[in-house]
Amino acid sequence: EVLDAAQDSGGGSGEDSEMGGGGYGAGGGMGGHCFVAGTLVLMADKTYRPIEELALGDFVMSFAENEKSWGARRWDTELEPKKITSLTVAECAKTWWLNETRTSPIDWVIRGNGEPARAMWLEVGDTIMGSDGESIKLYKSESSGMSEPVFNFETEDNYSYTADNIRTVRGMAVRGRYNNPLPYQPGKTMKEVYEYTFGRKFDQAVA
């Protein structure tokens, strides 16, 4: 079961996935699954809070896509405070180890070079990007063999945050350009991004 809470949209946004999650839609998709309870999120005041304790309207540290990068897309910009606009919880989802953090296999994290990758694509020895842009070398990248509750959220504009010092970004931000020939425009509401990306009215969404 997936429960969503969102502002100004009437529902959360999900992602299609190799792991059997729901499709894009309002209030029904798996939303990228993401992180287990206890994962620490960097807040705007530089403190840390467990992901399951976050609420709509809280401010976390986020990061934008680097619009000046050439070639591959990168998320290597400075951190900035952004407000949480949507919350998602999946009651039972497969999880994946990235060092000592458990996330979803389909979660998008940022490689050491700033490019996005799903957790399950990463291998031991690869690097991922930390909160301050530092490279973190992976010594563990494997299935946990467990299914457990996982939590996720969206931030205004950037759709990104840091979890256990790992940069992560929502799939809608990563895949938006591939689904629409126009350049992605930050600063839109979740409803506007949905309509922009998929070319149909939000109220026509099917979970």
Side-chain angles (χ1 to χ4, degrees):
E1 180 184 1
V2 180
L3 305 176
D4 295 284
Q7 293 177 329
D8 304 324
S9 68
S13 60
E15 291 183 29
D16 57 344
S17 77
E18 302 94 318
M19 303 302 294
Y24 280 92
M30 295 297 279
H33 302 204
C34 279
F35 296 91
V36 302
T39 302
L40 296 178
V41 174
L42 180 60
M43 308 301 292
D45 63 2
K46 304 300 178 68
T47 61
Y48 292 87
R49 190 180 303 174
I51 193 169
E52 72 274 16
E53 295 182 9
L54 299 176
L56 292 175
D58 285 344
F59 280 80
V60 301
M61 295 305 287
S62 179
F63 51 95
E65 181 178 357
N66 188 345
E67 298 292 345
K68 297 180 180 180
S69 63
W70 292 89
R73 300 173 64 193
R74 291 184 170 85
W75 274 263
D76 53 3
T77 57
E78 296 292 324
L79 295 178
E80 57 181 343
K82 289 292 180 179
K83 182 171 64 176
I84 294 176
T85 57
S86 174
L87 301 170
T88 304
V89 56
E91 186 177 17
C92 188
K94 295 178 181 179
T95 55
W96 188 272
W97 285 110
L98 289 179
N99 291 347
E100 301 307 313
T101 296
R102 291 197 309 284
T103 184
S104 300
I106 64 169
D107 182 41
W108 291 94
V109 298
I110 306 303
R111 292 181 184 271
N113 65 1
E115 298 176 10
R118 291 193 187 274
M120 63 184 180
W121 297 349
L122 299 169
E123 300 178 351
V124 171
D126 288 347
T127 60
I128 55 178
M129 186 172 291
S131 300
D132 293 327
E134 74 277 20
S135 290
I136 301 171
K137 191 171 184 178
L138 291 177
Y139 55 83
K140 185 191 298 185
S141 182
E142 60 189 39
S143 172
S144 71
M146 296 183 286
S147 293
E148 51 195 318
V150 289
F151 301 82
N152 200 359
F153 61 90
E154 290 182 0
T155 56
E156 58 185 350
D157 302 340
N158 296 342
Y159 306 99
S160 63
Y161 58 96
T162 74
D164 282 354
N165 196 36
I166 297 171
R167 290 195 178 204
T168 182
V169 64
R170 293 294 297 265
M172 180 174 283
V174 175
R175 291 141 51 111
R177 286 185 182 172
Y178 301 146
N179 294 330
N180 195 302
L182 298 175
Y184 177 73
Q185 299 178 6
K188 294 183 178 294
T189 65
M190 183 163 57
K191 178 178 178 179
E192 289 170 336
V193 170
Y194 181 93
E195 294 178 347
Y196 171 83
T197 304
F198 299 104
R200 62 173 181 260
K201 293 294 183 181
F202 190 83
D203 59 9
Q204 296 173 350
V206 177

